[in-house]
Amino acid sequence: MNMQKVIVAIDSFKGCLTSAEANQAASEGILMGNPEAQIVQVPVSDGGEGFMGAFLAAMGGELVEVNVKDPLMRPIVAPYLVQGDTAVIEIAKASGLTLLSPEERDPMVATSYGTGQLVVDAVRRGCKRIIVGLGGSATSDCGIGMLRAVIDSFSKGGSWDDVRELDEVHFTIATDVTNPLCGENGAAHIFGPQKFAPQGATHEQVLALDARAKRFADASAKHLGRDCQ
Protein backbone atom coordinates (compact mmCIF):
# COMPACT_ATOMS: atom_id res chain seq x y z
CA MET A 1 0.00 0.00 0.00
CA ASN A 2 1.63 3.24 -1.14
CA MET A 3 0.32 6.04 1.01
CA GLN A 4 2.41 9.06 1.93
CA LYS A 5 -0.01 11.69 3.21
CA VAL A 6 -3.63 11.34 4.32
CA ILE A 7 -6.04 14.03 5.49
CA VAL A 8 -8.61 12.72 7.97
CA ALA A 9 -11.64 14.98 8.50
CA ILE A 10 -14.62 13.17 10.03
CA ASP A 11 -17.65 14.80 11.61
CA SER A 12 -18.80 13.73 15.08
CA PHE A 13 -21.10 10.76 15.71
CA LYS A 14 -23.92 12.24 17.82
CA GLY A 15 -23.59 11.25 21.46
CA CYS A 16 -20.86 8.72 20.65
CA LEU A 17 -17.63 10.17 19.22
CA THR A 18 -16.38 13.71 18.81
CA SER A 19 -14.76 14.72 15.53
CA ALA A 20 -11.34 14.53 17.16
CA GLU A 21 -12.05 11.05 18.54
CA ALA A 22 -13.33 9.80 15.18
CA ASN A 23 -10.29 11.24 13.41
CA GLN A 24 -7.97 9.56 15.91
CA ALA A 25 -9.68 6.18 15.53
CA ALA A 26 -9.48 6.37 11.73
CA SER A 27 -5.85 7.47 11.87
CA GLU A 28 -4.93 4.53 14.08
CA GLY A 29 -6.60 2.18 11.63
CA ILE A 30 -4.72 3.69 8.69
CA LEU A 31 -1.41 3.39 10.51
CA MET A 32 -2.08 -0.28 11.22
CA GLY A 33 -2.23 -0.85 7.47
CA ASN A 34 0.50 1.62 6.52
CA PRO A 35 2.84 2.63 9.37
CA GLU A 36 4.65 5.06 7.05
CA ALA A 37 1.58 7.17 6.31
CA GLN A 38 1.72 10.85 7.21
CA ILE A 39 -1.65 11.77 8.65
CA VAL A 40 -3.13 15.23 9.08
CA GLN A 41 -6.19 15.32 11.33
CA VAL A 42 -8.69 18.13 10.78
CA PRO A 43 -11.60 18.44 13.26
CA VAL A 44 -14.82 19.43 11.46
CA SER A 45 -18.42 20.13 12.41
CA ASP A 46 -21.79 20.69 10.75
CA GLY A 47 -22.79 23.10 13.53
CA GLY A 48 -23.49 20.42 16.13
CA GLU A 49 -21.28 18.67 18.66
CA GLY A 50 -17.62 19.55 18.14
CA PHE A 51 -18.35 22.91 16.52
CA MET A 52 -16.42 24.89 19.12
CA GLY A 53 -13.57 22.38 19.12
CA ALA A 54 -13.19 22.66 15.35
CA PHE A 55 -12.83 26.43 15.64
CA LEU A 56 -10.37 26.05 18.52
CA ALA A 57 -8.18 23.78 16.40
CA ALA A 58 -8.37 26.17 13.44
CA MET A 59 -7.86 29.55 15.09
CA GLY A 60 -6.93 29.01 18.74
CA GLY A 61 -8.39 31.20 21.44
CA GLU A 62 -9.49 30.97 25.07
CA LEU A 63 -12.19 28.70 26.43
CA VAL A 64 -14.49 30.53 28.84
CA GLU A 65 -16.73 28.62 31.25
CA VAL A 66 -20.04 30.10 32.40
CA ASN A 67 -22.67 29.07 34.93
CA VAL A 68 -25.84 28.65 32.85
CA LYS A 69 -29.09 26.70 32.70
CA ASP A 70 -29.47 23.42 30.82
CA PRO A 71 -32.52 22.70 28.59
CA LEU A 72 -34.60 21.96 31.71
CA MET A 73 -33.32 25.08 33.54
CA ARG A 74 -30.99 23.14 35.83
CA PRO A 75 -27.61 24.72 36.69
CA ILE A 76 -24.62 23.54 34.67
CA VAL A 77 -21.27 24.93 33.51
CA ALA A 78 -20.92 25.42 29.75
CA PRO A 79 -17.95 26.72 27.72
CA TYR A 80 -17.58 28.95 24.71
CA LEU A 81 -14.57 30.12 22.72
CA VAL A 82 -13.17 33.65 22.57
CA GLN A 83 -10.58 34.81 20.04
CA GLY A 84 -10.10 38.58 20.01
CA ASP A 85 -13.55 40.14 19.70
CA THR A 86 -15.05 36.94 18.25
CA ALA A 87 -17.00 34.40 20.31
CA VAL A 88 -17.85 30.91 19.08
CA ILE A 89 -20.86 29.37 20.82
CA GLU A 90 -22.02 25.79 20.39
CA ILE A 91 -25.68 25.46 21.32
CA ALA A 92 -25.13 21.80 22.21
CA LYS A 93 -22.92 22.85 25.13
CA ALA A 94 -25.70 24.64 27.02
CA SER A 95 -28.91 23.44 25.34
CA GLY A 96 -27.86 20.12 23.83
CA LEU A 97 -29.74 16.87 23.41
CA THR A 98 -26.88 14.91 24.99
CA LEU A 99 -27.34 16.86 28.24
CA LEU A 100 -30.62 15.02 28.80
CA SER A 101 -31.41 11.38 29.38
CA PRO A 102 -33.77 9.84 26.81
CA GLU A 103 -36.61 10.00 29.33
CA GLU A 104 -36.07 13.75 29.84
CA ARG A 105 -36.26 14.71 26.18
CA ASP A 106 -39.30 16.89 25.62
CA PRO A 107 -39.11 19.98 23.36
CA MET A 108 -42.48 21.12 24.70
CA VAL A 109 -40.56 22.27 27.79
CA ALA A 110 -36.88 22.32 26.75
CA THR A 111 -35.44 25.81 26.41
CA SER A 112 -32.45 27.52 24.76
CA TYR A 113 -32.16 29.91 27.72
CA GLY A 114 -28.65 28.70 28.60
CA THR A 115 -27.36 29.51 25.14
CA GLY A 116 -28.66 33.04 25.59
CA GLN A 117 -26.67 33.24 28.82
CA LEU A 118 -23.51 32.38 26.86
CA VAL A 119 -24.34 35.19 24.40
CA VAL A 120 -24.80 37.61 27.28
CA ASP A 121 -21.44 36.69 28.80
CA ALA A 122 -19.69 37.09 25.42
CA VAL A 123 -21.22 40.53 24.89
CA ARG A 124 -20.20 41.62 28.38
CA ARG A 125 -16.64 40.55 27.56
CA GLY A 126 -16.68 42.92 24.60
CA CYS A 127 -17.21 40.43 21.77
CA LYS A 128 -18.59 42.12 18.65
CA ARG A 129 -18.84 39.05 16.43
CA ILE A 130 -20.67 35.96 17.67
CA ILE A 131 -20.79 32.69 15.72
CA VAL A 132 -23.44 30.22 16.89
CA GLY A 133 -23.50 26.57 15.84
CA LEU A 134 -27.11 25.36 15.97
CA GLY A 135 -26.80 21.58 15.69
CA GLY A 136 -27.49 19.03 18.41
CA SER A 137 -30.00 21.05 20.42
CA ALA A 138 -32.64 19.55 22.68
CA THR A 139 -35.01 22.40 21.89
CA SER A 140 -37.63 23.42 19.38
CA ASP A 141 -38.37 26.83 20.90
CA CYS A 142 -37.43 29.07 17.94
CA GLY A 143 -34.67 30.54 20.10
CA ILE A 144 -37.24 32.21 22.34
CA GLY A 145 -35.43 30.96 25.44
CA MET A 146 -32.20 32.50 24.20
CA LEU A 147 -33.95 35.83 23.57
CA ARG A 148 -35.50 35.67 27.04
CA ALA A 149 -32.06 35.31 28.62
CA VAL A 150 -30.80 38.34 26.70
CA ILE A 151 -33.84 40.42 27.69
CA ASP A 152 -33.57 39.32 31.32
CA SER A 153 -29.95 40.47 31.40
CA PHE A 154 -30.01 43.67 29.38
CA SER A 155 -33.55 45.06 29.38
CA LYS A 156 -34.87 47.34 32.08
CA GLY A 157 -38.34 47.44 30.53
CA GLY A 158 -38.73 43.73 29.87
CA SER A 159 -38.89 44.15 26.09
CA TRP A 160 -36.52 43.45 23.20
CA ASP A 161 -36.89 47.10 22.19
CA ASP A 162 -35.04 48.04 25.37
CA VAL A 163 -31.96 45.94 24.56
CA ARG A 164 -29.15 48.17 23.29
CA GLU A 165 -26.05 46.14 24.14
CA LEU A 166 -26.46 44.09 20.92
CA ASP A 167 -26.73 47.07 18.56
CA GLU A 168 -23.10 46.72 17.43
CA VAL A 169 -22.88 42.93 17.65
CA HIS A 170 -22.86 40.86 14.45
CA PHE A 171 -24.24 37.29 14.59
CA THR A 172 -23.38 34.44 12.23
CA ILE A 173 -25.56 31.33 12.45
CA ALA A 174 -23.96 28.03 11.41
CA THR A 175 -26.30 25.28 10.23
CA ASP A 176 -26.35 22.61 7.55
CA VAL A 177 -30.12 22.53 6.97
CA THR A 178 -32.41 24.65 4.81
CA ASN A 179 -35.80 23.76 6.25
CA PRO A 180 -38.34 26.56 6.66
CA LEU A 181 -39.46 27.45 10.17
CA CYS A 182 -43.08 26.30 9.81
CA GLY A 183 -45.11 23.84 7.78
CA GLU A 184 -44.80 20.16 6.90
CA ASN A 185 -41.09 20.58 6.09
CA GLY A 186 -40.52 22.93 9.02
CA ALA A 187 -38.52 22.55 12.20
CA ALA A 188 -41.23 20.89 14.28
CA HIS A 189 -42.20 18.26 11.70
CA ILE A 190 -38.64 17.35 10.68
CA PHE A 191 -36.65 17.77 13.89
CA GLY A 192 -39.21 17.70 16.70
CA PRO A 193 -39.51 13.89 16.80
CA GLN A 194 -35.72 13.60 17.25
CA LYS A 195 -35.92 15.58 20.47
CA PHE A 196 -38.53 13.53 22.29
CA ALA A 197 -38.10 10.42 24.41
CA PRO A 198 -37.45 7.18 22.48
CA GLN A 199 -41.06 6.60 21.48
CA GLY A 200 -41.01 9.85 19.47
CA ALA A 201 -43.35 12.81 19.34
CA THR A 202 -47.04 12.37 18.88
CA HIS A 203 -48.77 13.98 15.94
CA GLU A 204 -50.49 16.40 18.32
CA GLN A 205 -47.17 17.45 19.89
CA VAL A 206 -45.64 18.17 16.49
CA LEU A 207 -48.67 20.24 15.51
CA ALA A 208 -48.44 22.18 18.78
CA LEU A 209 -44.74 22.94 18.20
CA ASP A 210 -45.45 24.01 14.64
CA ALA A 211 -48.27 26.30 15.78
CA ARG A 212 -45.93 27.83 18.36
CA ALA A 213 -43.34 28.49 15.65
CA LYS A 214 -45.99 30.09 13.42
CA ARG A 215 -47.08 32.42 16.23
CA PHE A 216 -43.46 33.40 16.82
CA ALA A 217 -42.95 34.07 13.11
CA ASP A 218 -46.11 36.19 12.92
CA ALA A 219 -45.14 38.20 16.00
CA SER A 220 -41.61 38.75 14.66
CA ALA A 221 -42.92 39.85 11.29
CA LYS A 222 -45.28 42.37 12.88
CA HIS A 223 -42.46 43.68 15.05
CA LEU A 224 -40.40 44.26 11.90
CA GLY A 225 -43.35 45.70 9.99
CA ARG A 226 -43.45 42.87 7.48
CA ASP A 227 -45.90 40.21 6.39
CA CYS A 228 -45.11 36.66 7.47
CA GLN A 229 -44.65 34.43 4.43
Side-chain angles (χ1 to χ4, degrees), residues 136-205:
S137 80
T139 67
S140 186
D141 69 348
C142 301
I144 294 173
M146 180 181 68
L147 294 176
R148 185 74 258 170
V150 172
I151 292 172
D152 287 348
S153 296
F154 290 138
S155 172
K156 293 181 174 61
S159 166
W160 183 256
D161 292 329
D162 300 310
V163 176
R164 293 290 173 262
E165 282 80 358
L166 301 188
D167 285 352
E168 303 299 323
V169 179
H170 180 270
F171 286 85
T172 300
I173 304 302
T175 178
D176 66 341
V177 301
T178 57
N179 299 79
L181 181 64
C182 312
E184 62 182 27
N185 291 316
H189 284 271
I190 301 302
F191 301 108
Q194 300 176 11
K195 305 177 192 301
F196 277 87
Q199 71 271 15
T202 65
H203 180 65
E204 290 74 19
Q205 288 169 325

